[in-house]
Amino acid sequence: MAFRLRRILFGKPLRTEHAAHERLSIPLALPIFASDALSSVAYATEAILIQLADARVPHELFGVSRWISLGIVALILMVVISYWQIIHAYPGGGGAYIVARENLGEIAGLIAAASLLVDYVLTVAVSIAEGVAAALSALRQFPQLETLEEHKVWLCIAMLLIITFLNLRGVRESGLWFAAPSYLFIFSMLGLIAWGVGRSALGMKPVQAVAPPNPGIGLTGGLTLFLILRAFSSGCSALTGIEAVSNGVQAFRKPEARNAAVTLVILGALLAVMFTGITYLSNHYGIVPAEHLPDYGGENTHETVVSQIARGTFGLSLPYYVIQAATALILLLAANTSFAGFPRLASILAEDGFL
């Protein structure tokens, strides 16, 4: 009975010689290893704006976030180039742990490995919490569903259990489940940026007003170098998850290094375009992260920045709800990067006797 139940839940056991057939092609590897990095688009711009809002910077100075985002994009490109080199130099995987251990010594390698393992755990927590928040942002448009806010912790736990179950079915099978939501997010976000930038170029006003009429930001605040650096560091959450590809080279089909490198380049290009696009539109619409400001009496006080951008671009139409659904799903699935990366890094550490 227990064996039958295990077979139903986790699928048919695989023989070791069949493991190679479970390796990932580029289209499947992208949603598995890149979902964490791509999902950061949903909150990286908001992280920058929160710093400016908390410091009570005048609203008209929020445009500095564009330059901050360009600096972060430059950093993203440097990180992608670095990991591209690592993939070819260390095709066995291991990422930062292997590189640090062989070039900087054992202690440096262990510090890198410990940092990554902790980061993977925190990524699961943050991604699922942000995903539920994005879903609730859309559902707040329906008053009858407002009570879901009271059960958000249980919703997070339910999502965690679902992702755990899908991963226990196997990497390739979980990739099939995660591919559709990931590509839905990519195309919906690119569509949002293209439509929003196009409307901006034509001088068209937002479909719905998104900036609060009285955001409550004091006029006595000002930009300082420290504040700009703090906003920059917060926005660097956009770099989250880029290392996962180099950590999981052995999960790719042959030639492993080439396929991993191509996946990494695609990830870097998508990340740069979407991050700069979202930041540009947030500035164009004059968006303030309202949940971190005094309640100005609006009905969307706790609405995310991406939700405000989508509402300003499409209004409360079908595309708005598609974008919100895709954002919620990619944030939830971002936790899957940890499920793909943590076991592989842990396996390498175990082989070295350090787990």
Side-chain angles (χ1 to χ4, degrees), residues 5 27 58 88 135 149 162 192 208 219 300 347 354:
L5 178 62
H88 289 285
E149 180 74 27
I162 291 172
L192 169 64
Q208 283 192 356
L219 298 179
N300 297 309
S347 174
F354 290 122

Side-chain angles (χ1 to χ4, degrees), residues 10 30 69 96-97:
F10 307 136
L30 187 64
S69 69
Y97 165 63

Side-chain angles (χ1 to χ4, degrees), residues 42 46 126-143 145-152 155-156 159 185 300 302-308 316 320-333:
E46 186 163 0
V126 172
S127 299
I128 291 179
E130 288 287 343
V132 171
L136 292 177
S137 288
L139 295 177
R140 285 190 189 96
Q141 311 298 335
F142 304 96
L145 298 177
E146 287 182 349
T147 55
L148 287 176
E149 180 74 27
E150 303 173 4
H151 308 290
K152 59 185 177 182
L155 290 173
C156 290
M159 293 300 103
F185 174 77
N300 297 309
H302 302 285
E303 190 175 9
T304 62
V305 166
V306 170
S307 176
Q308 293 183 65
L316 294 178
Y320 166 80
Y321 290 106
V322 170
I323 290 169
Q324 283 303 101
T327 302
L329 286 172
I330 194 67
L331 284 165
L332 292 171
L333 298 183

Side-chain angles (χ1 to χ4, degrees), residues 88-167:
H88 289 285
Y90 300 91
Y97 165 63
I98 298 295
V99 175
R101 188 194 66 188
E102 294 191 6
N103 294 278
L104 301 177
E106 188 174 276
I107 297 299
L110 292 177
I111 292 174
S115 301
L116 282 171
L117 292 178
V118 172
D119 177 63
Y120 282 138
V121 175
L122 294 178
T123 293
V124 174
V126 172
S127 299
I128 291 179
E130 288 287 343
V132 171
L136 292 177
S137 288
L139 295 177
R140 285 190 189 96
Q141 311 298 335
F142 304 96
Q144 61 271 28
L145 298 177
E146 287 182 349
T147 55
L148 287 176
E149 180 74 27
E150 303 173 4
H151 308 290
K152 59 185 177 182
V153 174
W154 290 109
L155 290 173
C156 290
I157 293 174
M159 293 300 103
L160 175 60
L161 292 176
I162 291 172
I163 295 172
T164 302
F165 165 72
L166 291 176
N167 275 275

Side-chain angles (χ1 to χ4, degrees), residues 24-275:
L24 303 171
S25 61
I26 293 175
L28 279 182
L30 187 64
I32 288 181
F33 288 106
S35 56
D36 182 19
L38 293 177
S39 69
S40 64
V41 172
Y43 54 79
T45 296
E46 186 163 0
I48 296 174
L49 298 180
I50 286 171
Q51 295 298 327
L52 300 178
D54 286 347
R56 304 182 71 79
V57 171
H59 191 207
E60 56 269 21
L61 296 182
F62 272 40
V64 72
S65 61
R66 296 181 186 179
W67 301 105
I68 293 174
S69 69
L70 290 178
I72 295 172
V73 167
L75 186 58
I76 289 172
L77 295 179
M78 285 190 283
V79 171
V80 168
I81 292 171
S82 298
Y83 277 117
W84 185 88
Q85 294 175 315
I86 288 172
I87 286 172
H88 289 285
Y90 300 91
Y97 165 63
I98 298 295
V99 175
R101 188 194 66 188
E102 294 191 6
N103 294 278
L104 301 177
E106 188 174 276
I107 297 299
L110 292 177
I111 292 174
S115 301
L116 282 171
L117 292 178
V118 172
D119 177 63
Y120 282 138
V121 175
L122 294 178
T123 293
V124 174
V126 172
S127 299
I128 291 179
E130 288 287 343
V132 171
L136 292 177
S137 288
L139 295 177
R140 285 190 189 96
Q141 311 298 335
F142 304 96
Q144 61 271 28
L145 298 177
E146 287 182 349
T147 55
L148 287 176
E149 180 74 27
E150 303 173 4
H151 308 290
K152 59 185 177 182
V153 174
W154 290 109
L155 290 173
C156 290
I157 293 174
M159 293 300 103
L160 175 60
L161 292 176
I162 291 172
I163 295 172
T164 302
F165 165 72
L166 291 176
N167 275 275
L168 288 172
R169 296 285 300 188
V171 174
R172 187 169 66 89
E173 189 165 339
S174 66
L176 294 173
W177 282 94
F178 297 151
S182 297
Y183 285 114
L184 174 64
F185 174 77
I186 291 172
F187 290 118
S188 63
M189 199 59 61
L190 292 177
L192 169 64
I193 293 169
W195 194 260
V197 171
R199 288 176 57 87
S200 169
L202 295 174
M204 303 173 68
K205 295 182 179 180
V207 177
Q208 283 192 356
V210 292
N214 181 17
I217 298 180
L219 298 179
T220 58
L223 288 173
T224 63
L225 178 60
F226 176 76
L227 177 59
I228 292 174
L229 292 176
R230 193 172 71 175
F232 177 87
S233 65
S234 296
C236 282
S237 56
L239 278 74
T240 301
I242 296 177
E243 81 289 338
V245 177
S246 68
N247 287 343
V249 175
Q250 289 302 306
F252 288 82
R253 289 180 180 173
K254 295 182 178 181
E256 295 93 337
R258 176 190 173 278
N259 289 335
V262 171
T263 303
L264 182 66
V265 170
I266 295 173
L267 166 61
L270 288 172
L271 192 56
V273 170
M274 291 193 291
F275 179 47

